[in-house]
Amino acid sequence: KAGVTQTPRYLIKTRGQQVTLSCSPISGHRSVSWYQQTPGQGLQFLFEYFSETQRNKGNFPGRFSGRQFSNSRSEMNVSTLELGDSALYLCASSLDGNQETQYFGPGTRLLVL
Amino acid sequence: ELKVEQNPLFLSMQEGKNYTIYCNYSTTSDRLYWYRQDPGKSLESLFVLLSNGAVKQEGRLMASLDTKARLSTLHITAAVHDLSATYFCAVSSMEYGNKLVFGAGTILRVKS
């Protein structure tokens, strides 16, 4: 079974721009969660989507948003990029989001200049 | 608020030695997870612990859970260089949905 895939793998943007990251979950998985990983703050939960609905949200500003499509693929968008948004963005999928193990994708490394 | 503390944050050990990584969490948790991350790579699931007294073993790694003490341990037996990585514990709670709250991670370096 193919794992979680994320595109693109690397991105360089400048302050003020916006970016969209994509995540395809493991086939059959309906829950997709997003995490941000930085050296200073570690791994932090952004949000979770299930059946095209945002089910849970972390403590991030409204510039961070996401959505999920009917095939469970998910995108997250960051608008008005700031230098502090430079991070590894990880997507994780699980079957139904009932606290089963979450399987992580390879991540998208975003650098904001 | 659910908080997770790991220690030590950095561990340098010789091959063949044993050591333990500790993970404390602040409130009632339903599940405790251990993940491994190699440099520049994603997170690989190692263990999920569901109940008090749960113990799981895979190769040289053994994880246990004490829900009364709100403590999980990851024990490394006879370390080998291939175990060098960063290890994270994470907890989830019904109260917080499917959100994982991670510890800061333990960087493990096994020296030959």
Side-chain angles (χ1 to χ4, degrees):
Chain A
K1 209 181 230 187
V4 179
T5 58
Q6 291 185 246
T7 57
R9 295 291 311 279
Y10 304 93
L11 264 180
I12 300 176
K13 293 284 187 179
T14 55
R15 275 181 300 174
Q17 287 187 308
Q18 75 163 16
V19 67
T20 299
L21 312 181
S22 181
C23 171
S24 292
I26 291 171
S27 178
H29 284 193
R30 296 193 293 160
S31 170
V32 174
S33 297
W34 290 88
Y35 295 84
Q36 181 196 64
Q37 185 175 26
T38 60
Q41 299 298 317
L43 279 152
Q44 293 185 288
F45 172 79
L46 280 155
F47 27 65
E48 182 211 1
Y49 285 88
F50 179 80
S51 290
E52 302 178 63
T53 302
Q54 187 181 88
R55 192 159 67 170
N56 203 352
K57 190 176 188 306
N59 296 325
F60 279 82
R63 300 185 297 106
F64 291 81
S65 63
R67 59 178 176 167
Q68 187 180 35
F69 301 94
S70 58
N71 62 358
S72 295
R73 190 177 69 86
S74 177
E75 288 181 348
M76 69 163 278
N77 184 77
V78 188
S79 61
T80 320
L81 283 166
E82 300 176 0
L83 295 179
D85 297 334
S86 295
L88 179 66
Y89 290 89
L90 292 163
C91 158
S93 78
S94 63
L95 204 58
D96 284 314
N98 291 321
Q99 298 184 281
E100 314 97 352
T101 298
Q102 294 184 30
Y103 296 92
F104 284 80
T108 294
R109 190 165 294 281
L110 172 65
L111 177 62
V112 182
L113 301 175
Chain B
E1 187 187 348
L2 191 50
K3 289 186 179 178
V4 181
E5 283 188 8
Q6 268 183 256
N7 68 83
L9 297 183
F10 182 77
L11 178 55
S12 179
M13 53 193 297
Q14 293 290 132
E15 276 194 330
K17 298 292 187 183
N18 304 333
Y19 210 84
T20 301
I21 299 170
Y22 297 88
C23 174
N24 287 92
Y25 53 94
S26 59
T27 65
T28 303
S29 164
D30 297 300
R31 299 194 178 191
L32 190 295
Y33 308 81
W34 285 97
Y35 285 89
R36 167 182 171 147
Q37 186 176 39
D38 290 292
K41 300 289 180 67
S42 188
L43 297 168
E44 174 192 353
S45 174
L46 294 173
F47 303 108
V48 55
L49 303 169
L50 305 179
S51 58
N52 189 43
V55 176
K56 289 200 174 175
Q57 182 161 8
E58 180 73 34
R60 300 172 188 276
L61 301 177
M62 183 174 71
S64 65
L65 178 63
D66 180 344
T67 56
K68 291 181 179 144
R70 295 179 184 161
L71 171 69
S72 179
T73 60
L74 181 66
H75 187 72
I76 303 150
T77 302
V80 293
H81 181 71
D82 285 352
L83 288 179
S84 296
T86 300
Y87 293 85
F88 292 94
C89 67
V91 299
S92 67
S93 167
M94 288 280 287
E95 183 180 353
Y96 297 93
N98 202 36
K99 161 185 171 180
L100 289 178
V101 177
F102 283 86
T106 297
I107 300 172
L108 173 66
R109 291 291 174 260
V110 181
K111 298 183 287 186
S112 50

